[in-house]
Amino acid sequence: TWKMAVGDGGGSAQEALGLKFVEELSARTDGKYKADLFVNGQLGSEQATVNDVSLGTLDMSILASNNLAPFAPALGILSLPYAFENIDQAETIINSDIAKELVEAGINQAGVRIVAWSYSGFRMLTNSKRPVTKLADLEGLFIRVPKSDLIIKTYQSFGINPTPVAWSETFTALQQKVVDGQETPYAAIYSMKFAEIQKYLTETHYLFALEPLIISEALFQDQSADVQKAILEAGEAATEYSLSWIKEKEEGIKKELVSKYGMQIDQLEDEAEWASRAQSEVWPAYYDQVGGLEKVNAFLRTLGRDEI
Amino acid sequence: MMNIISKIFDNLESYICRALLLSFVTLLFAQIVTREFFGFSITWSEELSVYMFVWFVFLGSSYAAKLSAHNRVTFQYKWLSPKLRTFSEFLSDVAWVGFNSYFIFISYDFVFNRMNLFWKSQTLGIPMKYIYLILPIAFTLMTIRILQVNYLKFIKGEEIIDPEAKEMNELINSDLPDEKTPNTVEGKL
Amino acid sequence: MSESSIVLVLFGSFLALLILGAPVMASLGIAALASFLYLDENPIKLVQIAFNSVGSFPLMALPAFILAGALMEASGISKRLVAIAESFAGPVTGGISAAAILACMFFGAISGSGPATTAAVGMLMIPAMTRRGYDKGYASAVTASSGGLGIIIPPSIPMVIFGISALGMTVPLDAIAKHGEFQSISIPKLFIAGFFPGLVMSVSLMTLNYIQCRRYGYKGTGEGWSTADIRKAMRSGIWSMLAPLVILGGIYSGFFTPTESAIVAIFYTLFIGLFVHRELKLKDLIHSLETTTWLSGRVLLILFTATAFGRILVEHQIPTIIADSMLGVTDNLYVIWLLIIAFLLFVGMFMETLAAIMILTPVLLPVTYSLGIDPVHFGIVMVCSLSIGFSTPPLGENLFVASGISKTPLEEVTAKALPFACVSTIAVIVIAYVPSISLTLPSWLGY
Ligand code: NA
Ligand code: NA
């Protein structure tokens, strides 16, 4: 029995992926191989678990790709703002050679193997002050963001200075109006009950959360060929499941946010402008880190989008 | 000259910690002021203040070791002979030094051999290696302080009293104010 | 590997080292290390635990409150608050000792700690009581017993520590299945929840004080209340009274997080100390910084090893085993509360409060979750129970402080403080049995 750290809490896309993976793995090995899930960061912060997994003191972990990127910079490409315009593009990338290269990068740069991906949805913007439908509406809003350089830069390109607040303080900060808004995927908005204290939600698509399940490469290499195969197959099955899970889940959450909490959900009128700002102001700073402009263009080609 | 050096060494952690404490408290205050009055938030202030705080804590615990202020359960010593008491104090410090030495070893190993080289702090861009460096440093200092306390106790025969006991002694030895102090306090409004 | 052998290694080595007299921090660390080695796990994970257990933003409230408290003392804020309480003593039987309790409540609202409250109040109130013919031992006992209010009436350093420990833990799934969703924990919520329990504890202390003073014949002054005195004390203390208002108001109104309110309190105090009272000297400032340094270093180093210790408990689901065996004995919630309180009182007799909270939260909180107890309510009961430990032997910090100030033998103070510990215990049982005492105010304020 292995130990699997899960960054998010019960009911999250991460947990759904983990449970499905364990179920599939156990089915493929006649119940010989299993893993216990420790949700909600019980085994340490997401970034700390990367070190643990690469050292082999922890077997597996599911975490946001932007928390793996500091250890395997190539993964940063997934978090470039507007890298994906919709969920289908995310699916395309995960099933492409680009994903295979990222798995290699994870092994070489961080000593961990990505065996599955959780589709955790786009980060949506909520706030308690006013509907946001265009760039200009952002002005004067204090938005809580994670301590991530990339997201901070993205918001700066939108023209405001966001406020980094620790996740554990976020609910309190929103409730006490230390900040006006925050940005996380639907599942987090729902599980954290942000709707109780936030009235307006805007559907934004600058960052699609892809969250890898990583296993210690040393542990993986210690396994027999059969077990390795079972792990990889279980990972693929869990990834597929995650895609259908999120589509169904987000639909249900959206309905409940409106019907139960009376939240107002708006669409952006000028999202092309958001995307072009982010692309021109944020992307160039990350070309080096993700392996050069050529990598970015290969990524865009795979999606059938215009190269830069 | 020797005196100055030894005085600085004696209070090294204390000097650094006071500076760190003052800095992160001021930084947090600046963050509140700019946010509430200028509508502006300093994006790197949280990360910087947390890392200063971590350094402050670990160096501060070394300072606490020097003052022999770390909490112990000692009521059972009442039933021991002075000799046995000294012996178990000594033995417990040996165990403590052993733990620290092992921790210095693993934290050194972690920082210099095991840590992922790409890992940088998110908003400051400093390699995490330099921030984690405080662990082997502070535990080394702390171990030196424990040895120093034991050296003073057993070789020099000095008694190291922890700061709380010291304050208590001062209270006991100071005389109580005779006059009705509270009402003679003049408010300077 | 059987869970019981892990429990044996973990708790066995911990208790053995504790009895040997090793620092709490080292006892926990060595016990965790021994368990890792016993389980054949790589202890290098201790390094990340060390860094991450300490490196959290909400935790910065701890040094901030300690520093704020030290500066308030040095800036003359504490003594003015005590003076206001004293001016209310008047002609009532036991008035002046009731004023001492009142002073502890006032001061409890600005200081984060129990012994600090006792020292600040005791320095002024014990002599005031003896001047009115009180026995020194009784005067010390009253002050020592009410000093514990300092950690119940917010702000409270132990509640910060409980909040941090509890935030890092998840609700067991079968507990949710059985009792439904639990309310979330936050430090401001704990602070708000502590307010009424603090009042209940104060009222119980005042009641016993009245009874005792009747018995001993401690009367008030003959002249009645002196409005001149009250006015004078209030005028001189107006800036000091604003200090608790700034802190509590900031937190309750939601203007600041607890860490921020402590930071604001520091700068408010500096301003008052330097420009209004003009009592704060550079020397005091440096001394306050230094005290904050070693106090924080000592407490948070324990947090590191206690986190490692707790991690082993979590990974091996030991709290579940404890909960099951407890439910095997009885499933009567009232009996279980009594067991928990008795256990906490026992631990509080020997162990320093913050260390006790850091060690016991990972053990007990999952247990109380599976019993369906609200986590905030449990946190309040835990802090209240441990606050009594300040004035019980053998390790009773408040007793040491009070007997030190009044120069009465410790045994005498201890004997006279015991009845107070008893009524406090009854008050804690009431607080445990009636959850709404703790939970009403937070729900009023929308938490
Ligand atoms: Na308090
Ligand atoms: Na005690």
Side-chain angles (χ1 to χ4, degrees), chain B residues 176, chain C residues 126 130 134-141 218 406-408 412-413:
Chain B
L176 282 176
Chain C
I126 294 176
T130 36
Y134 280 51
D135 164 58
K136 268 189 188 174
Y138 182 76
S140 314
Y218 296 149
S406 66
K407 298 188 187 65
T408 26
E412 194 190 328
V413 181

Side-chain angles (χ1 to χ4, degrees), chain C residues 298-312:
Chain C
R298 151 173 119 177
V299 170
L300 296 175
L301 203 63
I302 300 178
L303 183 63
F304 150 41
T305 51
T307 307
F309 192 89
R311 181 72 61 84
I312 297 170

Side-chain angles (χ1 to χ4, degrees), chain B:
Chain B
M1 195 55 206
M2 271 316 283
N3 263 336
I4 297 174
I5 294 176
S6 86
K7 192 182 170 208
I8 290 177
F9 174 76
D10 233 31
N11 293 292
L12 185 65
E13 299 97 323
S14 176
Y15 293 142
I16 301 175
C17 284
R18 279 183 242 162
L20 284 170
L21 176 59
L22 216 53
S23 316
F24 73 71
V25 163
T26 311
L27 183 60
L28 290 173
F29 189 62
Q31 166 82 310
I32 298 170
V33 170
T34 58
R35 189 191 69 213
E36 295 296 331
F37 299 104
F38 303 101
F40 173 81
S41 52
I42 315 169
T43 47
W44 43 264
S45 83
E46 189 202 325
E47 195 170 61
L48 180 61
S49 57
V50 168
Y51 292 148
M52 284 202 277
F53 169 61
V54 171
W55 277 60
F56 161 79
V57 167
F58 284 106
L59 288 172
S61 58
S62 172
Y63 186 57
K66 188 207 155 213
L67 299 176
S68 113
H70 283 280
N71 297 110
R72 300 161 189 261
V73 175
T74 51
F75 71 93
Q76 73 281 22
Y77 282 167
K78 265 190 268 182
W79 299 303
L80 297 185
S81 68
K83 248 197 189 147
L84 204 56
R85 179 189 162 150
T86 314
F87 180 69
S88 54
E89 270 178 337
F90 178 73
L91 204 62
S92 68
D93 275 5
V94 170
W96 190 12
V97 167
F99 174 77
N100 280 5
S101 311
Y102 187 79
F103 188 80
I104 295 165
F105 166 70
I106 55 175
S107 57
Y108 178 88
D109 188 33
F110 184 84
V111 172
F112 287 97
N113 306 322
R114 310 292 192 95
M115 241 174 136
N116 183 299
L117 296 173
F118 299 104
W119 193 19
K120 292 198 178 106
S121 80
Q122 294 265 328
T123 53
L124 297 166
I126 304 169
M128 288 303 284
K129 185 176 171 161
Y130 297 117
I131 298 168
Y132 268 71
L133 208 54
I134 190 60
L135 294 174
I137 294 176
F139 275 81
T140 306
L141 274 172
M142 196 190 313
T143 310
I144 295 173
R145 295 307 189 189
I146 302 166
L147 297 175
Q148 189 185 7
V149 166
N150 278 286
Y151 169 79
L152 290 174
K153 197 161 73 182
F154 289 110
I155 315 279
K156 291 288 183 98
E158 285 176 30
E159 208 184 338
I160 313 285
I161 306 170
D162 80 85
E164 275 169 328
K166 212 186 260 169
E167 251 169 51
M168 208 79 69
N169 286 345
E170 277 161 20
L171 278 180
I172 293 166
N173 295 328
S174 71
D175 274 312
L176 282 176
D178 285 328
E179 269 314 299
K180 204 180 170 197
T181 342
N183 288 345
T184 60
V185 171
E186 285 304 321
K188 291 178 174 139
L189 290 175

